[in-house]
Amino acid sequence: MIERAMEAERRKCLAENDGELWLRAIDCHGVMVGRKYKRDNEAEAREMAKNYWTKPTFIYVEVFGVFEEGKLCVIYHGFRSGGR
């Protein structure tokens, strides 16, 4: 279920192809939070992803965006097994 939710977000990112980085985090209750960052703020996006990841209630965290040739690239990924 969680992977399907994240996959849906990746598809939205590909469809929008807005040049921004997408941060998505899912907690142990299945609640997704998200932010967008300008491409220039990749370090800030990674830092916020790490911040979510250090909280044990978050079980899935990713930062991704559309890069060269229209391909989606995941630049930060964290997944804790045992989630819902």
Side-chain angles (χ1 to χ4, degrees):
M1 175 181 109
I2 292 172
E3 178 57 39
R4 285 191 304 231
M6 195 63 77
E7 182 59 34
E9 291 300 303
R10 291 184 208 118
R11 283 193 306 270
K12 284 184 205 174
C13 180
L14 275 168
E16 285 186 26
N17 196 3
D18 58 6
E20 294 188 343
L21 299 174
W22 294 40
L23 165 62
R24 296 294 185 264
I26 301 173
D27 73 8
C28 60
H29 302 289
V31 176
M32 181 183 293
V33 295
R35 292 180 159 185
K36 284 187 176 182
Y37 291 88
K38 299 288 183 199
R39 187 69 52 120
D40 298 351
N41 295 340
E42 182 178 331
E44 184 180 341
R46 286 176 184 262
E47 193 60 36
M48 183 56 71
K50 289 177 189 175
N51 186 24
Y52 280 116
W53 190 242
T54 61
K55 295 173 176 47
T57 55
F58 284 93
I59 58 174
Y60 205 128
V61 179
E62 277 192 2
V63 176
F64 48 86
V66 178
F67 287 82
E68 297 172 15
E69 300 175 11
K71 293 183 181 178
L72 185 104
C73 180
V74 176
I75 60 173
Y76 187 97
H77 174 84
F79 175 74
R80 294 186 214 300
S81 63
R84 293 181 159 209

